Amino acid sequence: MAELRKSDYSNEDLRPTRAEERTWSAYNMASLWIGMSVCIPTYTLASGLIAAGMNWWQAVLTIVLGNAIVLVPMILNAHAGTRYGVPYPVFARLWFGTKGAHIPSLMRAIVAAGWFGIQTWIGGSALDALLSSLWSGWANIPLHLPIAFLAFWALNVWIGYKGPEAIRSLESWGAPLLLALGLCLLVWAYKAAGGFGPMLSAPSKFKTTGEFLAVFFPALTGMIGFWSTLALNIPDFSRYAKSQKAQILGQIMGLPTTMGLFSFIGVAVTSATVVVFGEAIWDPVVLLSKFPPLVVTMGTVGIVLATITTNIAANVVAPARAIENLFPRKFTFGLGAIVTGIIGIAMQPWALLANYAAYIFGWLGTYAAFLGPLDGVAIADYWLVRQKKIDLVDLYQASGRYHYSKGINLRAIIALGLGILVALSGRFIPALGFLTDNAWIVGLFVSAASYWYLMRGHGSVLSDEEFRAITDLKKTTETVSQTAEVALEGLEGR
């Protein structure tokens, strides 16, 4: 009766969510995405594309298209979280094994820790600049920038330490406030410039379709890479959703729409600054410093809130869960959040933000080549190989069907390796550059096809009869702990 409680692969945070814990509505899911999408990197995202030669609508369209594409695996992977109530590291055991799951969870965690460092550096720098504009003596304080950075870092770690429910509350009330502030900035830009300014009328710098496509495809990969991280660990959040309808509608309403709108606000407001101030100001912190103190104060609150809502949900949950999954009996989610913060500093975010070319085509594009294949393995396993049928208890057992050979599914590692190899082949063979330009999509399909082929007829796949027996509560009560019983409640209807 207490198999999960005694399991070395389970603890209070990694167990399946209970029915009463599944409280997230479509609004909560949409709020999650609004809170994560409204941030300084989104505001400035289009600037790198415009600098590369696109006009404003080409840049915004590339961003929206990239987010619409990544929304598909986002919804597909979220299904498992909502149906079975498991977090991402446990979901990964399904395809990589009880021990092999550390590979995808740590791959996701490293990227998230890097993003955590980037966001805290941006937020800390913004806080430092805005404090300087509000109080002239702040700039005279020794090490004022490191102080602002560490203060902001500590605030992020503290909220992350409080756990997922604190994140839900923060996103729910923060999302409408952030949208309102963004729209106010858009209205100011329109009125102050007598329109949106010259940037919106500037033509593309590309003379031919070929020149445009040469930039478009690697840029699209970068835009997909922006949220390809969450496409993997979305079960960490969808496990709290009330239903599949709630997670699907919430994500559709929240992700591509907000990313498109806020990146357009960034372009439009920056275009207006050319008219109002005589120069293009892409940095919202620099822009706010030109306003009266009251506006600066309100803007400071908005930027701090925007950075925190993005950072906590997108960049703390995944690595905290991954670290917790390494040592389920010793680490909690809170301790994982602290370790995430330390790693984020160690990754030197100031170097990752050295320039926008390195940011979009280097940082975003490169890790997309690793995460796309992971998405391919996850989708192929759950939807094609197993057709959504999972033995929930075996995900927590060393002797279960998902332990594979010594805890590792070698087939998943081979499929992952093939996807990464093909996706990055253009780095070594110039003639195959188009594969690397579309690294995320190419890697996803190569790994998905490879994994499906390698796993055909595998013994870990449940038959319809086995699945019906497992989901029969009268039988599972004899072998499954109360925790798993509640998680399986109503499974057939989800």
Side-chain angles (χ1 to χ4, degrees):
M1 292 294 290
E3 290 183 26
L4 292 192
R5 293 192 183 95
K6 293 180 179 179
S7 172
D8 290 335
Y9 294 95
S10 181
N11 64 18
E12 183 61 17
D13 295 319
L14 295 175
R15 62 163 175 76
T17 49
R18 301 185 181 95
E20 63 269 20
E21 294 172 314
R22 302 184 182 199
T23 59
W24 289 35
S25 63
Y27 172 77
N28 294 131
M29 292 298 296
S31 296
L32 175 75
W33 279 113
I34 293 170
M36 289 193 294
S37 299
V38 178
C39 59
I40 294 177
T42 303
Y43 183 94
T44 60
L45 197 58
S47 67
L49 302 181
I50 291 175
M54 292 186 183
N55 60 29
W56 75 269
W57 67 262
Q58 289 172 337
V60 173
L61 181 62
T62 302
I63 293 169
V64 172
L65 181 59
N67 282 275
I69 291 172
V70 82
L71 181 65
V72 176
M74 198 89 66
I75 290 173
L76 293 178
N77 286 334
H79 188 283
T82 301
R83 190 177 197 192
Y84 292 96
V86 294
Y88 169 63
V90 175
F91 181 43
R93 294 172 188 171
L94 185 66
W95 5 299
F96 269 83
T98 50
K99 294 181 179 178
H102 297 315
I103 297 172
S105 60
L106 289 176
M107 285 175 65
R108 168 65 180 98
I110 290 170
V111 174
W115 266 115
F116 181 85
I118 287 174
Q119 289 283 3
T120 48
W121 179 255
I122 289 173
S125 300
L127 184 61
D128 176 69
L130 293 170
L131 285 173
S132 297
S133 67
L134 288 171
W135 175 35
S136 58
W138 174 256
N140 298 323
I141 297 176
L143 302 175
H144 57 89
L145 176 56
I147 291 172
F149 168 63
L150 290 175
F152 189 72
W153 175 90
L155 179 61
N156 279 261
V157 171
W158 179 76
I159 295 175
Y161 183 86
K162 302 294 286 184
E165 191 58 28
I167 295 171
R168 182 184 73 87
S169 300
L170 179 67
E171 301 289 359
S172 295
W173 65 264
L177 176 60
L178 292 173
L179 275 180
L181 289 173
L183 292 174
C184 287
L185 194 57
L186 187 65
V187 171
W188 167 84
Y190 187 84
K191 289 186 176 181
F196 286 128
M199 195 176 296
L200 297 190
S201 60
S204 169
K205 296 178 183 178
F206 303 117
K207 294 185 176 16
T208 66
T209 301
E211 288 182 1
F212 170 73
L213 293 178
V215 172
F216 170 75
F217 284 115
L220 182 65
T221 294
M223 297 310 104
I224 294 172
F226 196 89
W227 287 124
S228 64
T229 52
L230 264 293
L232 280 169
N233 78 294
I234 191 65
D236 286 332
F237 301 100
S238 64
R239 65 195 293 236
Y240 299 104
K242 291 181 177 180
S243 64
Q244 297 295 350
K245 181 179 179 181
Q247 68 93 354
I248 293 171
L249 288 180
Q251 294 199 83
I252 291 174
M253 292 187 297
L255 176 56
T257 53
T258 307
M259 288 294 292
L261 173 62
F262 205 61
S263 60
F264 170 74
I265 289 175
V267 173
V269 172
T270 303
S271 181
T273 62
V274 176
V275 177
V276 179
F277 302 110
E279 61 177 325
I281 303 175
W282 282 103
D283 190 338
V285 175
V286 175
L287 176 59
L288 277 174
S289 67
K290 296 181 178 295
F291 286 88
L294 178 60
V295 177
V296 174
T297 302
M298 293 175 60
T300 301
V301 173
I303 287 176
V304 169
L305 179 60
T307 306
I308 290 176
T309 53
T310 301
N311 210 20
I312 301 300
N315 306 319
V316 172
V317 174
R321 291 277 187 236
I323 294 166
E324 185 181 19
N325 190 50
L326 280 172
F327 310 103
R329 291 300 184 184
K330 296 180 180 179
F331 270 73
T332 63
F333 179 89
L335 288 176
I338 294 174
V339 174
T340 299
I342 295 172
I343 296 174
I345 294 177
M347 292 186 72
Q348 302 181 42
W350 46 88
L352 295 174
L353 288 172
N355 60 73
Y356 282 109
Y359 171 59
I360 292 176
F361 303 113
W363 170 244
L364 296 179
T366 298
Y367 78 61
F370 288 87
L371 299 190
L374 276 178
D375 272 316
V377 171
I379 292 169
D381 184 280
Y382 182 71
W383 290 92
L384 301 180
V385 174
R386 305 187 194 282
Q387 299 181 14
K388 303 180 291 184
K389 298 188 289 288
I390 297 176
D391 185 336
L392 184 62
V393 177
D394 271 7
L395 286 173
Y396 297 87
Q397 303 298 326
S399 58
R401 68 180 68 233
Y402 309 122
H403 190 66
Y404 299 101
S405 175
K406 298 180 180 180
I408 299 174
N409 183 7
L410 186 59
R411 295 169 181 80
I413 294 176
I414 293 172
L416 173 64
L418 287 173
I420 294 173
L421 181 64
V422 174
L424 292 179
S425 59
R427 294 283 176 91
F428 314 103
I429 306 174
L432 299 178
F434 68 96
L435 295 176
T436 301
D437 288 345
N438 300 278
W440 184 86
I441 295 175
V442 169
L444 184 147
F445 280 103
V446 170
S447 288
S450 302
Y451 185 81
W452 170 80
Y453 180 81
L454 292 170
M455 288 293 290
R456 290 176 305 162
H458 193 268
S460 66
V461 179
L462 289 169
S463 66
D464 291 340
E465 292 75 17
E466 288 175 313
F467 185 66
R468 278 195 293 270
I470 289 171
T471 54
D472 184 346
L473 289 181
K474 292 181 180 179
K475 294 181 180 180
T476 57
T477 51
E478 298 175 0
T479 57
V480 185
S481 71
Q482 184 63 33
T483 297
E485 290 172 27
V486 177
L488 287 168
E489 214 170 19
L491 190 61
E492 293 288 281
R494 286 185 179 274

